[in-house]
Amino acid sequence: MPVMGERTATEPTLFDRSRPGRRASTLPALDVPDVDPVQALDGVELAEAPPALPELGELDLVRHFTRLSHRNHGIDVGFYPLGSCSMKYNPRMSEAAAALPGFRNLHPWAPDEAAQGTLALLYDLQQWLAELTGMTTATFQPAAGAHGELAGLMLFRAYHEDRGDARRTIIIPDSAHGTNPASAAMCGYDVVTVPSGDDGLVDVEALEALVDESTAGLMLTNPNTVGLFELDIERIAAALHRVGALLYYDGANFNAICGRVRPGDMGFDVVHLNVHKTFATPHGGGGPGAGPVLVSDRLAPYLPAPVVVRRDDGSYAWDHDRPKSIGRLHGFHGNIGILIRAYAFLLFHGGDGLQQMSGKAVLNANYVASQVTDVLPLGYPQHQPMHEFVSTGRAIKVHGVRVTDLCKRLIDLGFHPPTNYFPLIVDEALMVEPTETESRETLDEFSAALRQAVAEAAEDPDRLRDAPVTTPVRRLDEGRAGRELVVRWSSDQA
Amino acid sequence: MPVMGERTATEPTLFDRSRPGRRASTLPALDVPDVDPVQALDGVELAEAPPALPELGELDLVRHFTRLSHRNHGIDVGFYPLGSCSMKYNPRMSEAAAALPGFRNLHPWAPDEAAQGTLALLYDLQQWLAELTGMTTATFQPAAGAHGELAGLMLFRAYHEDRGDARRTIIIPDSAHGTNPASAAMCGYDVVTVPSGDDGLVDVEALEALVDESTAGLMLTNPNTVGLFELDIERIAAALHRVGALLYYDGANFNAICGRVRPGDMGFDVVHLNVHKTFATPHGGGGPGAGPVLVSDRLAPYLPAPVVVRRDDGSYAWDHDRPKSIGRLHGFHGNIGILIRAYAFLLFHGGDGLQQMSGKAVLNANYVASQVTDVLPLGYPQHQPMHEFVSTGRAIKVHGVRVTDLCKRLIDLGFHPPTNYFPLIVDEALMVEPTETESRETLDEFSAALRQAVAEAAEDPDRLRDAPVTTPVRRLDEGRAGRELVVRWSSDQA
Amino acid sequence: MDFAPHTDDDLQAMLAAVGRSSLDDLFTHIPQGLRPPGEPNLPRGRSEDETLSALARHAAANHTDAVCFAGGGAYDHYVPAAIAALVGRGELLTSYTPYQPEVSQGMLQALFEYQTVISELTGLPVSNASLYDGGSAVAEAVSMACAATRRNAVVMSSALDAPTRQVVRTYGHPLDRGTSEVDYGADGRTPVPPLSDDVAAVVIAQPNALGVVEDVRAHAEAAHAAGAQLIVKLEPIAVGLLATPGSQGADLVVGEGQPLGQGLAYGGPTFGFLACRTDQIRRIPGRIVGRTVDRAGRTGYVMTLRAREQDIRREKATSNICTNQTLCAVAALIHLSWLGPQGLRDLARACLARAQHAARRLTEIDGVELAVSGPFYKEFPLRLAVRDPQAAVTALHAAGYLVGPVVDTGPAQGAVMVALTERRTADEVEGLADALARIVKEDS
Amino acid sequence: MDFAPHTDDDLQAMLAAVGRSSLDDLFTHIPQGLRPPGEPNLPRGRSEDETLSALARHAAANHTDAVCFAGGGAYDHYVPAAIAALVGRGELLTSYTPYQPEVSQGMLQALFEYQTVISELTGLPVSNASLYDGGSAVAEAVSMACAATRRNAVVMSSALDAPTRQVVRTYGHPLDRGTSEVDYGADGRTPVPPLSDDVAAVVIAQPNALGVVEDVRAHAEAAHAAGAQLIVKLEPIAVGLLATPGSQGADLVVGEGQPLGQGLAYGGPTFGFLACRTDQIRRIPGRIVGRTVDRAGRTGYVMTLRAREQDIRREKATSNICTNQTLCAVAALIHLSWLGPQGLRDLARACLARAQHAARRLTEIDGVELAVSGPFYKEFPLRLAVRDPQAAVTALHAAGYLVGPVVDTGPAQGAVMVALTERRTADEVEGLADALARIVKEDS
Ligand SMILES: Cc1ncc(COP(=O)(O)O)c(C=O)c1O
Ligand SMILES: Cc1ncc(COP(=O)(O)O)c(C=O)c1O
């Protein structure tokens, strides 16, 4: 919110501010003959008027987006313990790296000779990610985790097809993130759900019963989405490998184990990493991120083409000669600028720093858990949480309020709420991931706010139901948004 | 103010947030033998402990300054019609220009051969500013307008001294900015004040009576600080030149005439420009700006050394061989990064664009005046205002409120107040400078707010007295600040 | 090095609170065999200064001095300085998917505005809040068309850029999607193909990968007549001049966002856009932002129609997309607002004038001719009388001029694409002409 | 081109409202002779793109690749990336002097924090909110001392950097300030000078322009014994190791802020800092921020003791300064907070170790020796056995090494300064040694 003023309590849209004929842009003067489009594009259907874009001066543009930013929470503004998202500090160092002109001004179809800096960087990054995951080769095309999942499952399919082995199903735990089944469906697989046991881990016996020759593979997050390490992972891997099925590692929670435990050692065959989580690239209001996929040697032939290679002469190149490749997943090379940031992050941390990172991420989560789980019990208290923990807010329901209300109250107390209602297997789930970059004081203040909100649920439930009241808008009518469906501005809107 | 939360309504200081042993910084590892300071600096008094700087992690640092920014108004947030300050849009283009590595990484004592890009830029800038002011040569050392004034008056002194002509006084209008008399005093001159006439212009007859052989010169702002063009400037110049005195042009209001009227043509001998006003470089919360000084040929020999020159071979250099120079005013070359921004601004505008700029600046001021002067009469209605106008809020005093209160109410209405209580010659002065970069809608909204506040002064004066109420803090006890004098944090403060 | 703020005291106190004696102690329940001793084999951590110096060396090892006449979906349009300053603001940069709308109104409103400008560019009423890129956007559109028509085959113009054709095939393969191509003609335009009744969608590009303007209306009519949908991959600057594909009957208009304020950046991050008619809204992939009111009746914005998405719908979702390219979309919004309608038109006209001039000038060279005859506005294919066009491209790069890509298929196969943005001057065209003349001469 | 948002309609309507028919019409009351016809003779306006391209060409014409061993008040310390991101935030960047404290608490609090860190660095309780630079800061301090002592002469060490000595003379001249210099000795230290009873202040630098650490305590005692004040120009990184001048008896501690997060930037903008004892607070130039409370009792910050300043006090003001270097001061605050006490110490120690190593290594070269014998921590003068040291500096620059400046006076005159920040590696020192050895050899 702006620093002052009643007038500025809302921000009109760009279209409300638009005035015909106003304009911020300037273009170089033409030093070639001007051309009449009607003549030059003879026979082509031209627009009568250009699209009705907003018309503003540059100052009003800058003000608009500055004011919009004042209506938005981000890590830079305060704590953001969104479970499964690793909302850690986004280093300005990494932003500076990606902004270097040598990276910014490179055309995607520049010849490899012109791109040696970026290619060398990607090659190193591949080696480091391979080392961290226990894999060997990477594709950088996937633009996010889900894109990586799709790529990975396509690799499963290509692998099995190459062996003449048509398989139909992908097994996914009931605690899995929604992208896992959605990716499996996009890859033409039938989804088979394996239940979690009473302790929040995959029910291994149930799994073993589900696995058969039609199983293409298993998708697993480890630590899983309730924040617990799948202790039987070796047995799980053996069960799948025994029938020729493969294991996919969803790297959303890699921050818990990075530098300490390797998916490859656990038996995974394909891994995606969410570099916008583990390696601290900015989430940008929803993206861009990057979801590089790492594979073991036996899946490498199927990777999307091209892959980055080091030639014998020490130069780097895109290798397009991949006859078994599943093909392309991206129109260019992927979110290279995000990968540059990840490279900077890894170079800064080093192997030693990454161990500190994951250790402190786990410590922070366990510390907050130690401060709040008496009032918000863990969904699965049998095992020690890793980098995040999932509590249940079940107990406050007796007061006629739900975890949603608790979360809205947290906003008034100055904190972005944790992830809630995910994973689905925990009733009234509250999933807290503090990340390693938060200080003990912040964790203490947050824990106190959480306790306060729980206490208020009993003492003053209306306070929770009314919350938030300190925000630019109060609770929004989502039903109306879905019913009336106003998804673009138009001049006849009020 | 942050987007949410009661907790974040205040922002603790860095020292309140500090925790022993915490740290954001990283340094390259030593690749030379470490050295024991006690031995290496034998006989030197070393500190027992390093200075008690704040100790925070980088995320908490970033959050602190982000949150502080949320407690601060700037042009990017909204209208900022601070008279005499030209608070116009600060182009991001200019920021990008100054951030180019070739400019950022140049050491001030790099040899001229290594600085050809910057030197050529400064040389061009000198030519352009000379063209715009009607002068010939520049010094770029002055870091702000007042610094330029000091330089200019030193040039007066050097010029007179060189002619064996000791002169004691500087004439300054009663409407002048405080820096004018303060600069004269720093330059060892006695200040003689010339009154303004009933029409807000210098009383020329009074001036002519004051001018004599002891007069070193006159300092004048034109348009002057009531926003009016000194129509008798040629007669004024003649009066001074007749007795061998000089004219100093205070460029704070150059935005009104840039590209249209030249101080040199009016008879001025020395000119400073406030590039942070006219040429839109950011004010940075108080600075840095730049105050380059332009002179006519006869004052050029006295300029601070070195000056930038073009050699016969087309190369550029600092010329240190200035035997009559007053010496240095800056430890390096001045605020070069600000001058780079000014260069970008001028190149973008061109001569044509500058005329548009000053024309629209004057139009905007006159337009707002046309909307409000029925309720807030001009201090001097006899002449047309230029880029700013000065109204008097005298009339609201009958309601027991003053212009201060009106200004505080404007804040609640969403506008940064105009300059007030300056110039001193207008009772309850309100000095409005919209600048050319504001849209008609903004000017209309501001005019309406001003009218509303004036109306409320009669109807609901307490509303003005209580204002502001929409800000992070309400009116502050300035008396207490001056009495108790807490000018740094200390651990025993509450 | 790390960014954790823990002091030794913090570590001791916090470990005590959780009953552990060291960080390692928090991992001891993990089977020992999975915990290799020692550190991973990465370079040791280093300071921020050393890190950035290393990155600067990498950046400097790229050669970006060549004058950029390259096209193929990424163009050297100017990116105004205000964009980086605004999307770099921490409140936007460091936020995530707006799950809590009350504290995310800034991004939500920006996305609502983004959806509006995409709707304007495409001529269709509904836009989502971004996709990964232009290639995957076409693939997602194909899925939408298949769902809408309950058919499972797609016909692509061979004048759709090669990477996008590959992405469509990759996405289609596991779903047994029949994927065929229709060859463009000597004029560079795609003829209206015969369509069997299993065809869900025809995909063309506007202008296409040869730079040539397609007859969208004819394709739309033919597709509709066969019960199929028309998907148009739009190069968005073009609608500064051309009619919007939506107004010409396209059902789905998608595109690569690179020309809209993204810079070259080796092709990423950029974003893909996607727009459709209102009757397709429930099949759209990814986030959509809708307008609504809060409890006090104030206007506000939320993510809407969430029941399409993976977190709610899981394997029944319209797509698996979760993290998208929001910040890129906001950059595009700023770029388009900076341009304004007249700026977009001027920009497109500048491309047209410069491209026409360059085509005229370059085809004056012996052994250089246009490889197609159709109308173009900023990009065109040149047939060079050389043995190996790729070698000519390399030689031109060595001479300081970046052109390409080389056309991979059809009548213009082997031709070299040349693109002109508003930034390419007449002098630069002369330089390219000189270099090209020399190279063609030396080769023949 | 311009940044005004006026449409033609706006212009018409607004001109009508003010009763004019054109923009020119607003200037017709100005004597015609003062209104030259036509446009000023500047290049015609151009687009943002062309403007930035022109600037990029200028920037590229500077040579900044040489390894920087130069000193003389500006040092190649690392500037953390967070600084630009934070001081670039529009609310801070585009604000001005906080005349309206209720909407300026961000800057006011930052300046209060800045004053605190300057107080810590200098060892004196009161700091202002910044001055233009180190040179003018010394001149302002001299004025303060003259006012305090009602005397009008100043004695400067000749081991104060040459530009600063010139600035002090320039400021002093119109006020008939007696300005003399005391020569430093063979050890590079300034001997305690004899002081006549008109001397208001002695000025030394810590470490001085030869890099040598001065005995501040001895100078303070001598100055005080003569009724004069001691002004110390402090290189601020040094107090990572050295005692603060304030703790050693200095009355006024000022300095050049360049080492504190400003970058090289050809020497500007940077800032000057100034600190004094509480009894001098009413003589301090420029802004001071003080803490207070608002009507609701909440802590807040305001500019205070305004009656010292030019806008209130006019010719009686303590200085004419108005616009200062606030944003640079905030950058310094961020830098110092990033460093923290231990970081500052480590930084100073890194300089010390690297400088000692370099001095040892370089003086192994025949014809290269230390020009002074006193203790130094990051910068030292080398006497080269060459005819023209300036030519040697130029030759070194051509070889890729920037050193300097050349000492202008005293026993070390003609020696070349070499500075080592935390960034200079052992390899770079080897490179410098090789180049230096070759150049000295060729010259002799
Ligand atoms: C466990 C899990 N898997 C997969 C994903 C999908 O990753 P992305 O959003 O990068 O596509 C997420 C994202 O939140 C996740 O939390
Ligand atoms: C009329 C006038 N003169 C001089 C100055 C001093 O300029 P600066 O603040 O750049 O030192 C100002 C600044 O506000 C001013 O308004």
Side-chain angles (χ1 to χ4, degrees), chain B residues 74-86:
Chain B
I75 299 165
D76 280 11
V77 183
F79 192 39
Y80 205 147
L82 205 61
S84 210
C85 300
S86 302

mmCIF file of all heavy atoms in Angstrom, chain B residues 74-86:
data_model
loop_
_atom_site.group_PDB
_atom_site.id
_atom_site.type_symbol
_atom_site.label_atom_id
_atom_site.label_comp_id
_atom_site.label_asym_id
_atom_site.label_seq_id
_atom_site.Cartn_x
_atom_site.Cartn_y
_atom_site.Cartn_z
ATOM 1 N N GLY B 74 7.975 8.966 -3.198
ATOM 2 C CA GLY B 74 8.880 9.389 -4.255
ATOM 3 C C GLY B 74 8.061 9.670 -5.502
ATOM 4 O O GLY B 74 6.865 9.351 -5.557
ATOM 5 N N ILE B 75 8.705 10.222 -6.496
ATOM 6 C CA ILE B 75 8.013 10.519 -7.758
ATOM 7 C C ILE B 75 7.370 9.253 -8.317
ATOM 8 O O ILE B 75 6.274 9.295 -8.879
ATOM 9 C CB ILE B 75 9.016 11.108 -8.780
ATOM 10 C CG1 ILE B 75 9.619 12.405 -8.257
ATOM 11 C CG2 ILE B 75 8.333 11.350 -10.122
ATOM 12 C CD1 ILE B 75 10.858 12.860 -9.030
ATOM 13 N N ASP B 76 8.063 8.137 -8.160
ATOM 14 C CA ASP B 76 7.530 6.877 -8.681
ATOM 15 C C ASP B 76 6.243 6.453 -7.989
ATOM 16 O O ASP B 76 5.520 5.597 -8.510
ATOM 17 C CB ASP B 76 8.553 5.752 -8.492
ATOM 18 C CG ASP B 76 9.629 5.774 -9.549
ATOM 19 O OD1 ASP B 76 9.714 6.758 -10.299
ATOM 20 O OD2 ASP B 76 10.408 4.809 -9.614
ATOM 21 N N VAL B 77 5.999 6.982 -6.821
ATOM 22 C CA VAL B 77 4.795 6.591 -6.077
ATOM 23 C C VAL B 77 3.634 7.517 -6.421
ATOM 24 O O VAL B 77 2.486 7.086 -6.497
ATOM 25 C CB VAL B 77 5.078 6.589 -4.559
ATOM 26 C CG1 VAL B 77 3.854 6.113 -3.788
ATOM 27 C CG2 VAL B 77 6.291 5.740 -4.223
ATOM 28 N N GLY B 78 3.910 8.788 -6.608
ATOM 29 C CA GLY B 78 2.832 9.722 -6.899
ATOM 30 C C GLY B 78 3.354 11.129 -7.143
ATOM 31 O O GLY B 78 4.558 11.400 -7.075
ATOM 32 N N PHE B 79 2.404 11.991 -7.392
ATOM 33 C CA PHE B 79 2.684 13.405 -7.693
ATOM 34 C C PHE B 79 3.516 14.036 -6.566
ATOM 35 O O PHE B 79 3.316 13.718 -5.389
ATOM 36 C CB PHE B 79 1.337 14.121 -7.823
ATOM 37 C CG PHE B 79 1.391 15.507 -8.412
ATOM 38 C CD1 PHE B 79 2.239 15.818 -9.458
ATOM 39 C CD2 PHE B 79 0.549 16.508 -7.921
ATOM 40 C CE1 PHE B 79 2.259 17.100 -10.007
ATOM 41 C CE2 PHE B 79 0.557 17.784 -8.463
ATOM 42 C CZ PHE B 79 1.417 18.082 -9.504
ATOM 43 N N TYR B 80 4.429 14.928 -6.937
ATOM 44 C CA TYR B 80 5.422 15.439 -5.973
ATOM 45 C C TYR B 80 5.719 16.889 -6.361
ATOM 46 O O TYR B 80 6.848 17.202 -6.773
ATOM 47 C CB TYR B 80 6.676 14.568 -6.093
ATOM 48 C CG TYR B 80 7.602 14.461 -4.909
ATOM 49 C CD1 TYR B 80 8.289 13.267 -4.663
ATOM 50 C CD2 TYR B 80 7.846 15.525 -4.048
ATOM 51 C CE1 TYR B 80 9.178 13.125 -3.607
ATOM 52 C CE2 TYR B 80 8.732 15.395 -2.990
ATOM 53 C CZ TYR B 80 9.384 14.195 -2.769
ATOM 54 O OH TYR B 80 10.273 14.070 -1.720
ATOM 55 N N PRO B 81 4.725 17.772 -6.229
ATOM 56 C CA PRO B 81 4.850 19.111 -6.841
ATOM 57 C C PRO B 81 5.654 20.102 -5.991
ATOM 58 O O PRO B 81 5.201 21.210 -5.714
ATOM 59 C CB PRO B 81 3.382 19.547 -6.947
ATOM 60 C CG PRO B 81 2.731 18.919 -5.762
ATOM 61 C CD PRO B 81 3.412 17.596 -5.568
ATOM 62 N N LEU B 82 6.838 19.676 -5.609
ATOM 63 C CA LEU B 82 7.674 20.478 -4.733
ATOM 64 C C LEU B 82 8.288 21.634 -5.534
ATOM 65 O O LEU B 82 9.171 21.414 -6.366
ATOM 66 C CB LEU B 82 8.768 19.577 -4.160
ATOM 67 C CG LEU B 82 9.408 19.921 -2.850
ATOM 68 C CD1 LEU B 82 8.383 19.953 -1.708
ATOM 69 C CD2 LEU B 82 10.472 18.881 -2.529
ATOM 70 N N GLY B 83 7.799 22.834 -5.259
ATOM 71 C CA GLY B 83 8.282 23.997 -5.986
ATOM 72 C C GLY B 83 9.774 24.186 -5.832
ATOM 73 O O GLY B 83 10.347 23.913 -4.782
ATOM 74 N N SER B 84 10.404 24.649 -6.910
ATOM 75 C CA SER B 84 11.837 24.929 -6.956
ATOM 76 C C SER B 84 12.677 23.664 -7.083
ATOM 77 O O SER B 84 13.889 23.732 -7.068
ATOM 78 C CB SER B 84 12.289 25.730 -5.725
ATOM 79 O OG SER B 84 13.391 26.553 -6.067
ATOM 80 N N CYS B 85 12.026 22.493 -7.208
ATOM 81 C CA CYS B 85 12.781 21.237 -7.204
ATOM 82 C C CYS B 85 12.628 20.408 -8.472
ATOM 83 O O CYS B 85 13.346 19.430 -8.656
ATOM 84 C CB CYS B 85 12.390 20.395 -5.995
ATOM 85 S SG CYS B 85 12.734 21.254 -4.436
ATOM 86 N N SER B 86 11.681 20.788 -9.355
ATOM 87 C CA SER B 86 11.502 20.068 -10.625
ATOM 88 C C SER B 86 11.473 18.553 -10.430
ATOM 89 O O SER B 86 12.299 17.830 -10.987
ATOM 90 C CB SER B 86 12.595 20.457 -11.628
ATOM 91 O OG SER B 86 12.580 21.844 -11.864
#
